[in-house]
Amino acid sequence: MTLPAPAAEPDPMILEALRRVVDDQIGPRTPGSIYQNVDGAFEVLAVIRDPQRARELLGRRGAQWALVVKDVLRPGAEPFAIGSVWTTSDYLVREAAATGGVK
């Protein structure tokens, strides 16, 4: 039995649907923003949308994105990668500036 040849180009509708899912999972967390949840308060340093890089950072085969954050409540805290989705228990403390940096 011969398998069909893979499609040369990804389906644009599928790519758009995946982009929307990723956007919803990341939520309003952009570089420079600070958000808070039950785990603490975190400044977003980077948003990684490259799946391969996200998988390396998180050590998860299915990761599509990752955030690099820093705990703003712990002096001297080191940045670390997370892959937790935005939920109703998360809220922005400070939005990022229009340039993507700190206000």
Side-chain angles (χ1 to χ4, degrees):
M1 179 172 164
T2 305
L3 296 175
E9 293 293 320
D11 184 328
M13 291 180 67
I14 292 173
L15 290 177
E16 176 61 18
L18 179 58
R19 186 196 61 77
R20 288 181 185 179
V21 168
V22 167
D23 286 349
D24 287 345
Q25 291 176 346
I26 294 171
R29 297 175 289 185
T30 57
S33 64
I34 295 178
Y35 74 99
Q36 191 165 356
N37 59 27
V38 296
D39 297 323
F42 307 94
E43 180 178 9
V44 178
L45 303 177
V47 178
I48 311 301
R49 290 177 173 269
D50 173 45
Q52 184 59 37
R53 181 72 179 123
R55 291 171 187 147
E56 292 168 2
L57 286 169
L58 298 173
R60 296 185 198 154
R61 292 184 313 176
Q64 293 295 309
W65 59 272
L67 300 176
V68 177
V69 300
K70 182 177 178 182
D71 187 335
V72 297
L73 301 178
R74 272 191 22 217
E78 294 291 322
F80 60 97
I82 63 163
S84 55
V85 301
W86 181 261
T87 69
T88 56
S89 65
D90 298 313
Y91 62 94
L92 282 180
V93 174
R94 181 187 74 203
E95 290 185 28
T99 59
V102 177
K103 283 187 177 178

